[in-house]
Amino acid sequence: MLARFLERIRLWAAAAVVAAVAGGLSAVFPPSHAGADSDPVCPRSATTEAIAEPGRLVTKFDLTAFRHHKSRRVMNAVHKWPGQVRIEFGGTPYPYRDHVERVVRDLSCLTKLLIYIHEKNQEEPGLHANFHVAMFTRDELDALGRREKLDAESLKYYFCYVVLGLDLQLGDADDLFAAIGIVDDLSEAETRHCFVRLMTRALGLFADSDVVQPSLFSPDGAELDYLPINDKIILRTLYDPRIEHGMKREDAMEIARQIIPELVKAVRERGVEALYQR
């Protein structure tokens, strides 16, 4: 399964390159789908979590949304999904599928994106999954390491990894894809953490920073299997309609300095539901 999964990623990337060279191919996605829940039930409650001061959240937003997760180079434009996120599973045990579905609900409530589990038997012509979630056995991973002559340290990358169409900047915005792979011999806690961290990262929160704690996107966030309130504020800021996909970083940061204090005030008054865009 792992080899097929990686080959599929290579094909996506190649198709995106062709689209970019050709000037971009825009897919036209319908506003709804038979298998999609267009109005998820969003939790509505006060939060007991500590909310960071707006200035620190502005810094966190800049470091997380505009830094490459590996090279740490500054990205000078906003990267976020402009349309539907259609998730397809491959080899994912059902206990984790339930967890992923809860993550999907939270991400959809915060971003106002239509994010849903895409069932192959409900496919419409021209409408395919663009977000793939798969689990692999350790035997498959070890076989990959032998075939690719990877050392033990390099192989660790594949324990919990994500391939980001947003990060690759290939093709038209409507041709975005993401792929998540997790090896199945991680502990349950590590697996749950990987799912929520990588699914959120795939939406545009790329880099880690320890400016605000606790955070999934920090060196100390490895035990978290949920999105803390401050990360929710950061994600909600990225997907505020005032910040547009492709907007220059300096323009987006100016707007973020307005949005974040608004959100902090609203959450302190009304709880987490103040972040929802439904």
Side-chain angles (χ1 to χ4, degrees):
M1 181 188 293
L2 180 54
R4 292 197 303 272
F5 185 69
L6 294 176
E7 180 59 27
R8 191 167 189 177
I9 291 171
R10 295 187 187 101
L11 292 174
W12 291 332
V17 170
V18 171
V21 172
L25 300 175
S26 296
V28 179
F29 298 141
S32 62
H33 183 272
D37 180 357
S38 60
D39 188 20
V41 177
C42 302
R44 300 181 181 277
S45 64
T47 179
T48 58
E49 297 178 73
I51 303 171
E53 292 303 313
R56 296 179 70 83
L57 287 168
V58 168
T59 300
K60 175 77 171 179
F61 178 79
D62 187 24
L63 293 174
T64 303
F66 293 105
R67 298 297 188 281
H68 188 276
H69 65 288
K70 291 182 181 178
S71 68
R72 303 294 298 177
R73 64 177 171 80
V74 176
M75 297 186 290
N76 291 317
V78 173
H79 296 240
K80 67 181 190 179
W81 285 69
Q84 292 182 12
V85 181
R86 302 179 297 278
I87 300 171
E88 178 182 81
F89 288 100
T92 308
Y94 268 85
Y96 295 119
R97 175 172 172 139
D98 292 342
H99 176 60
V100 169
E101 287 174 346
R102 288 192 290 274
V103 175
V104 165
R105 179 203 62 195
D106 288 346
L107 296 179
S108 185
C109 291
L110 293 165
T111 64
K112 205 178 180 179
L113 291 173
L114 180 56
I115 307 175
Y116 65 93
I117 309 303
H118 183 78
E119 304 292 354
K120 287 186 177 181
N121 61 357
Q122 295 177 335
E123 280 192 0
E124 297 175 11
L127 190 65
H128 306 290
N130 56 8
F131 195 116
H132 296 258
V133 178
M135 294 191 75
F136 310 111
T137 68
R138 185 57 191 267
D139 287 344
E140 289 175 313
L141 191 61
D142 289 341
L144 173 72
R146 291 191 296 272
R147 186 170 63 253
E148 302 294 333
K149 296 181 172 57
L150 299 175
D151 59 31
E153 193 63 31
S154 298
L155 200 62
K156 286 182 180 178
Y157 168 76
Y158 291 102
F159 286 12
C160 174
Y161 74 98
V162 60
V163 176
L164 305 173
L166 281 178
D167 185 22
L168 294 172
Q169 296 180 282
L170 299 174
D172 189 271
D174 285 334
D175 296 320
L176 290 174
F177 69 87
I180 288 173
I182 300 175
V183 68
D184 69 356
D185 70 344
L186 296 178
S187 70
E188 180 178 348
E190 289 171 324
T191 301
R192 292 168 67 88
H193 165 78
C194 282
F195 276 125
V196 66
R197 173 182 168 89
L198 297 186
M199 292 182 72
T200 309
R201 172 155 282 169
L203 296 185
L205 298 184
F206 298 120
D208 289 349
S209 159
D210 60 4
V211 171
V212 173
Q213 298 286 6
S215 171
L216 278 172
F217 306 104
S218 75
D220 295 331
E223 300 303 317
L224 300 174
D225 66 355
Y226 64 95
L227 204 59
I229 190 65
N230 290 307
D231 287 346
K232 288 181 178 180
I233 291 172
I234 294 301
L235 182 63
R236 170 63 175 79
T237 299
L238 179 62
Y239 279 85
D240 190 285
R242 287 169 283 182
I243 294 180
E244 300 177 355
H245 179 73
M247 178 180 283
K248 295 295 185 184
R249 170 175 170 258
E250 57 267 29
D251 296 332
M253 286 305 304
E254 183 175 346
I255 296 172
R257 292 185 187 97
Q258 301 169 21
I259 295 171
I260 288 175
E262 296 172 2
L263 293 177
V264 169
K265 181 176 184 293
V267 173
R268 286 174 174 166
E269 291 175 350
R270 298 192 286 120
V272 69
E273 67 182 277
L275 298 176
Y276 300 146
Q277 300 199 62
R278 296 288 173 182

